[in-house]
Amino acid sequence: MNLLDRFLTYVKIDTQSDPEVESCPSTLKQKDLGHLLVKELLELGVNNAYMDQHGYVYGLIPSNSQKDITPIGFIAHMDTSPDAPGAHVNPRIIKHYDGGIIQLNETLSMDPQKFTALKHVVGDDLVVTDGNTLLGADDKAGVAEIMAMVEIMTLHPFEHGDIYIGFTPDEEIGRGADLFDLNFFKAKFAYTADGSLIGGIEYENFNAASARVSFVGKSIHPGAAKLKMINAQHLAFEFHSLLPVFDNPAYTEGYEGFNHLSNTEGSVEFAKLSYIIRNHDMVKFNKQKDDFKRVVAFMNDKYGYEAVSLKITDSYFNMLEVLKHDMSPVELAKQAITNVGLTPHSEAIRGGTDGARLTFMGLPCPNLGTGGFNFHGRFEFASINQMEQAVDVMIEIIKLISK
């Protein structure tokens, strides 16, 4: 099966994760893809491939060399974002993109003047959505590329050390590394295939936390509410208005952090706001969390009871804090990217990957570009040409470490 066929097969499997569910995987449908990947790995000769009870897929391609070669790994996540519809994905192929406006459906289109990522793929063959769902290139592009890499190693063997493969659930809701089995995955370092523009090697990411803010109101018939009713929804509006106005993703870029209101729900009696908190700088990151705590204290003091409660959970931290002590995995990837005729580039990720968590768990894990763009929405697309180049980069990394 070629790379494109794999990708088109995988994106049609609904694997959205669910942040409201505590189990792992958060949705059983993620295992549908996991079962398929195990089957394909076994067919490719990865005889130890398996999926555990939590939906993590693992495999090891044993060393075929007499030399002592450093064991490395490649990781991608199977789930897709809950930020846009993810079922019934209907991908469409555009041959030799000409740089113009792409009409997704009757009402949605992508203009390169607005969607500037399109400038990186002029002349490429693209996979786009029909405008009704996300595509799932995040991260099924990475999944397909790793599987294509395994197939190449099977059909065209070359000298290599132990190569570990891992596919995770629930990355999009910040839990992809929670139950990752480092007792099996004994690589010295690994790469997540979860980036965007080909040639990317990313080793900086946001420090990240989630915040859930709950509001308890005092409900009474509105006809008798004067000086008695406290509307929990109004408490939620007030809370949000007291946070720094420009700590909003709509006003930030580069290394600037943000507080992103991701979900709201409520009634007169109870309301809830869900936020994600992000910053590359740990001092500023901690200040943002303190802002939430100060607003809670202020409002509870103002209303005279525990009207507001807060739960902040750290999700992951900036992998640079670990990788800066040994940049050899990054330098190896840069050399591989150069060797296949590309120009390596790095920028701070305005997000995170499983690799960030895994790096702090003892598995250094920078991130590789996959050729997918505009993640988490209906304007998502992937370059088939860049996906093929991503496979070339992985193969070259393995050959370099084997030397």
Side-chain angles (χ1 to χ4, degrees):
M1 185 184 299
N2 66 33
L3 173 61
L4 177 59
D5 289 339
R6 289 188 187 281
F7 180 62
L8 296 178
T9 298
Y10 301 158
V11 299
K12 291 177 183 177
I13 301 172
D14 179 10
T15 59
Q16 280 189 306
S17 47
D18 185 348
E20 300 302 319
V21 177
E22 297 298 329
S23 61
C24 181
S26 63
T27 54
L28 288 176
K29 58 190 177 183
Q30 295 179 65
K31 286 188 173 182
D32 294 341
L33 179 55
H35 285 301
L36 175 60
L37 293 173
V38 171
K39 176 177 178 291
E40 291 182 350
L41 286 168
L42 292 172
E43 289 172 350
L44 290 171
V46 184
N47 298 323
N48 50 32
Y50 71 99
M51 180 171 62
D52 70 14
Q53 62 179 325
H54 302 294
Y56 289 76
V57 174
Y58 301 100
L60 166 64
I61 305 173
S63 173
N64 62 5
S65 175
Q66 299 300 313
K67 297 189 301 186
D68 183 16
I69 300 174
T70 301
I72 64 172
F74 295 89
I75 299 167
H77 66 87
M78 297 178 289
D79 66 316
T80 57
S81 170
D83 291 347
H88 310 296
V89 172
N90 184 29
R92 176 166 62 95
I93 297 173
I94 295 176
K95 290 284 191 179
H96 308 299
Y97 170 58
D98 63 6
I101 294 173
I102 297 175
Q103 197 70 38
L104 299 177
N105 58 32
E106 292 180 357
T107 58
L108 288 183
S109 62
M110 279 194 291
D111 187 332
Q113 295 300 315
K114 181 177 181 180
F115 296 93
T116 55
L118 287 169
K119 70 182 181 182
H120 297 296
V121 296
V122 176
D124 290 0
D125 295 339
L126 307 183
V127 183
V128 301
T129 75
D130 63 1
N132 296 316
T133 69
L134 50 66
L135 177 62
D138 181 14
D139 184 29
K140 290 169 183 173
V143 173
E145 289 158 9
I146 291 173
M147 292 298 294
M149 175 199 77
V150 174
E151 184 168 13
I152 288 172
M153 295 179 70
T154 301
L155 296 178
H156 307 284
F158 55 87
E159 185 180 38
H160 61 80
D162 286 345
I163 306 298
Y164 288 87
I165 306 300
F167 299 118
T168 64
D170 290 344
E171 190 270 354
E172 294 291 3
I173 57 174
R175 303 184 212 151
D178 281 5
L179 298 173
F180 195 87
D181 187 2
L182 290 174
N183 290 320
F184 173 86
F185 204 98
K186 295 185 180 298
K188 183 177 180 182
F189 57 86
Y191 298 93
T192 50
D194 193 17
S196 188
L197 181 64
I198 191 63
I201 173 65
E202 298 164 333
Y203 50 88
E204 294 182 80
N205 60 275
F206 275 140
N207 297 295
S210 63
R212 293 193 176 187
V213 194
S214 300
F215 305 88
V216 177
K218 296 182 177 181
S219 181
I220 190 171
H221 191 286
K226 186 173 181 179
L227 302 180
K228 301 181 186 71
M229 177 187 285
I230 298 178
N231 191 321
Q233 296 168 106
H234 292 174
L235 293 175
F237 300 157
E238 180 179 353
F239 179 91
H240 185 73
S241 73
L242 290 171
L243 292 173
V245 173
F246 293 106
D247 284 359
N248 176 326
Y251 301 123
T252 65
E253 62 182 357
Y255 283 91
E256 298 168 335
F258 57 75
N259 305 317
H260 173 51
L261 177 59
S262 58
N263 191 60
T264 65
E265 58 184 85
S267 62
V268 174
E269 200 163 63
F270 180 80
K272 183 174 73 173
L273 301 180
S274 298
Y275 291 86
I276 61 172
I277 303 169
R278 301 289 190 266
N279 207 302
H280 289 93
D281 183 284
M282 181 61 76
V283 173
K284 294 178 180 177
F285 176 62
N286 287 328
K287 181 204 175 288
Q288 286 173 240
K289 292 190 287 185
D290 288 342
D291 289 340
F292 277 73
K293 297 172 185 176
R294 283 192 291 270
V295 174
V296 169
F298 168 78
M299 289 185 64
N300 285 341
D301 181 65
K302 173 182 176 179
Y303 288 98
Y305 72 101
E306 192 175 353
V308 190
S309 60
L310 170 68
K311 180 182 180 182
I312 294 180
T313 305
D314 287 329
S315 303
Y316 50 81
F317 300 108
N318 189 347
M319 72 176 93
L320 178 63
E321 295 305 310
V322 174
L323 290 173
K324 66 184 181 183
H325 301 294
D326 180 6
M327 293 288 282
S328 57
V330 174
E331 296 306 320
L332 177 68
K334 287 183 177 179
Q335 187 60 57
I337 292 165
T338 301
N339 286 2
V340 300
L342 300 168
T343 301
H345 58 90
S346 301
E347 60 182 32
I349 308 171
R350 287 182 60 78
T353 68
D354 283 334
R357 289 274 307 283
L358 292 169
T359 296
F360 280 88
M361 291 165 60
L363 179 66
C365 207
N367 189 40
L368 298 172
T370 64
F373 301 87
N374 295 349
F375 294 155
H376 293 203
R378 301 165 194 254
F379 300 102
E380 190 177 11
F381 68 91
S383 161
I384 300 168
N385 306 64
Q386 291 195 21
M387 290 177 63
E388 292 169 345
Q389 291 173 310
V391 178
D392 294 339
V393 170
M394 293 178 191
I395 293 293
E396 185 64 18
I397 287 174
I398 296 170
K399 290 181 176 179
L400 283 174
I401 198 70
S402 298
K403 293 178 181 178

